[in-house]
């Protein structure tokens, strides 16, 4: 599970990451990454915020059990990769319909490939 400070919950934050961030698509998922904000506008004092991640898994992926399984797998994968992302960045991982049938390894490969593409020009 992701720690509380690393969870993306507000609709505005999801919209910011999706509309203003960079996008990398893979066969199983699409990753949106917004790296410009180093401070959290919602936090008093404007302290440097940690990297936050959110997930979008629609009914096209499968039934409730399959969707929850995909979300759990993606949360676990992203938790292991948070240290490699720039501080204050917003990450939204959107699962595509094929993600419901994919195994853990396939999701990991697609996530790594998408993050590598997005972070190619950004210093880690």
């Amino acid at each position: 599970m992701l720690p509380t400070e690393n969870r993306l919950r507000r609709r505005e934050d999801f919209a910011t990451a999706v509309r203003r961030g960079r996008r990398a698509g893979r066969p199983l998922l699409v990753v949106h990454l917004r790296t410009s904000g180093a401070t959290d506008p919602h936090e008093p004092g404007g302290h440097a915020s940690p990297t936050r991640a959110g997930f979008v898994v629609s009914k096209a992926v499968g039934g409730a059990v399959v969707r929850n399984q995909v979300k759990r797998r993606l949360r676990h994968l992203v938790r292991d990769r948070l240290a490699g992302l720039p501080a204050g960045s917003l990450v939204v991982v959107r699962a595509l319909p094929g993600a419901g049938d994919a195994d853990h390894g396939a999701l990991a490969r697609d996530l790594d490939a998408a993050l590598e593409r997005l972070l190619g020009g950004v210093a880690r």
Side-chain angles (χ1 to χ4, degrees), residues 29 31 77-78 81 93 106-116:
L29 47 88
V31 178
L77 291 168
V78 169
R81 289 153 179 82
V93 180
L107 287 172
R109 282 189 298 276
D110 273 8
L111 181 63
D112 287 336
L115 289 175
E116 183 66 32

Side-chain angles (χ1 to χ4, degrees), residues 1-3 5 7 11 15 20 22 32 38 55 63 66 70 76 79 84 96 101 107 115 118 121:
M1 171 139 333
L2 279 175
E5 65 270 6
R7 294 181 195 164
R11 178 185 172 111
R20 297 184 181 165
R22 296 179 61 208
H32 300 270
F55 305 92
V66 174
V70 169
H76 177 75
R79 183 190 67 197
L96 297 177
D101 299 326
L107 287 172
L115 289 175
L118 290 170

Side-chain angles (χ1 to χ4, degrees), residues 5-6 37-43 46-52 85-90:
E5 65 270 6
N6 295 116
T39 60
D40 185 358
H42 304 296
E43 208 172 288
H47 299 293
S49 64
T51 300
R52 294 179 293 153
L85 297 171
S89 59
L90 304 176

Side-chain angles (χ1 to χ4, degrees), residues 16-74:
T16 298
V18 171
R19 292 185 184 139
R20 297 184 181 165
R22 296 179 61 208
R23 180 183 66 193
R26 304 296 306 158
L28 300 176
L29 47 88
V30 177
V31 178
H32 300 270
L33 177 67
R34 170 88 170 155
T35 57
S36 64
T39 60
D40 185 358
H42 304 296
E43 208 172 288
H47 299 293
S49 64
T51 300
R52 294 179 293 153
F55 305 92
V56 178
V57 183
S58 73
K59 288 184 180 180
V61 173
V65 173
V66 174
R67 290 195 312 269
N68 285 324
Q69 182 180 33
V70 169
K71 280 188 271 192
R72 283 193 308 269
R73 287 179 177 172
L74 290 173

